[in-house]
């Protein structure tokens, strides 16, 4: 970790008549971890990144960013720490046929674009039919991570090397890995989605239950279209805070489609809840999902 170099982790911007301070999360990561990757207690890693920003603001004599800006930055840092650890997990565990892909906001890229065109057309047709009947749709966001198992994936993506730092280049490769998979993944090669969060507030719980419900309903539709009832898409949630009994009870919620069809066995919208306190916990989570 390197927090002694001159920092470009913050910048000024104009908001109406006010000049405010903006955090640059990727630059912050690249400065603090220019010679290493995050390791150990994840909360302490996030605290180090936040302190680096606060020191930069203080040295410049600028007003500190809003608390919401730090919350958003910590969320972005957490996602990249997990994604960077996932990159090296594949190499350390010797599973190069798997890719754990960080997904952007759905406004930037719809995760369904990784599927083969045939599957995309099926999902487009579903959306069109839903829209035609009572103007309904399946509204959701992207999972933060996708786990993909593709026998030809090594020829699609050059990522079979470990990363030793969070340089701008390495972060760029992590963030844009999904671009290499567009239109190339069979529907049953996408094994799981993972939601990442730094908060387990009740409203955040509901968001992830909704996402798991939507993703699994899409797969229920695809299983019917492909006449393949053995495919089991999983959706997991991971946070960097310890979950409690109330969290565990909330995430037992069933998918809607599985409780209205007598031919289906009820299934959970969220298959697993993982507390990622240390970077070793990230490895344990992927060991649990990739069995």
């Amino acid at each position: 970790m390197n927090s002694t170099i001159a920092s470009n982790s913050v910048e000024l911007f104009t908001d109406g008549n006010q000049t405010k301070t903006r955090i640059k999360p990727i630059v912050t990561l690249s400065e603090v971890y220019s010679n290493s990757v995050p390791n150990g207690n994840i909360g302490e890693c996030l605290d180090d990144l936040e302190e680096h920003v606060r020191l930069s603001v203080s040295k410049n004599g600028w007003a500190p960013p809003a608390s919401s800006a730090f919350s958003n930055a910590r969320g972005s840092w957490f996602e990249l720490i997990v994604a960077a650890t996932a990159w090296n997990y594949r190499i350390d565990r010797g599973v190069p046929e798997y890719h754990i892909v960080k997904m952007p906001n759905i406004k930037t890229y719809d995760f369904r674009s990784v599927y083969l065109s045939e599957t995309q057309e099926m999902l487009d047709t579903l959306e069109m039919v839903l829209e035609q009947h009572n103007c309904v749709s399946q509204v959701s966001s992207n999972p933060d991570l996708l786990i993909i198992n593709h026998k030809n994936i090594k020829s699609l993506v050059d990522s079979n090397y470990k990363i030793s730092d969070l340089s701008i280049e390495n972060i760029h490769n992590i963030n844009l890995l999904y671009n290499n998979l567009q239109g190339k993944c069979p529907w049953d090669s996408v094994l799981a989605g993972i939601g990442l969060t730094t908060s387990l507030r009740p409203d955040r719980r509901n968001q992830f239950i909704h996402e798991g419900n939507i993703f699994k309903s899409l797969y229920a539709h695809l299983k019917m279209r492909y006449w393949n009832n053995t495919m089991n898409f999983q959706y997991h949630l991971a946070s960097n805070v310890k979950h409690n009994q109330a969290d565990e009870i909330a995430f037992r919620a069933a998918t809607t489609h599985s409780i209205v069809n007598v031919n289906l066995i009820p299934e959970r919208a969220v298959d697993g809840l993982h507390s990622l306190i240390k970077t070793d916990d990230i490895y344990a989570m992927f060991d649990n999902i990739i069995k």
Side-chain angles (χ1 to χ4, degrees), residues 59-73:
K59 288 178 181 179
N60 283 296
W62 297 344
S67 59
S68 59
F70 278 110
S71 295
N72 291 336

Side-chain angles (χ1 to χ4, degrees), residues 12 16 28 69 115 130 186 251 265:
L12 295 178
T28 306
Y115 294 124
L130 290 173
F251 286 112
I265 298 174

Side-chain angles (χ1 to χ4, degrees), residues 28-98:
T28 306
L29 272 168
S30 70
E31 290 180 352
V32 175
Y33 291 101
S34 60
N35 299 309
S36 64
V37 292
N39 188 47
N41 187 288
I42 296 173
E44 291 177 3
C45 293
L46 298 178
D47 290 342
D48 289 340
L49 290 159
E50 181 170 335
E51 181 62 19
H52 182 78
V53 169
R54 292 189 182 277
L55 284 173
S56 178
V57 170
S58 177
K59 288 178 181 179
N60 283 296
W62 297 344
S67 59
S68 59
F70 278 110
S71 295
N72 291 336
R74 290 176 73 96
S76 297
W77 294 330
F78 178 56
E79 290 177 10
L80 276 163
I81 288 172
V82 175
T85 307
W87 185 293
N88 286 342
Y89 169 89
R90 297 174 50 255
I91 309 304
D92 289 337
R93 289 291 193 262
V95 286
E97 70 274 16
Y98 285 89

Side-chain angles (χ1 to χ4, degrees), residues 129-137:
V129 171
L130 290 173
E131 183 66 26
Q132 289 174 347
H133 293 276
N134 297 322
C135 296
V136 297
S137 63

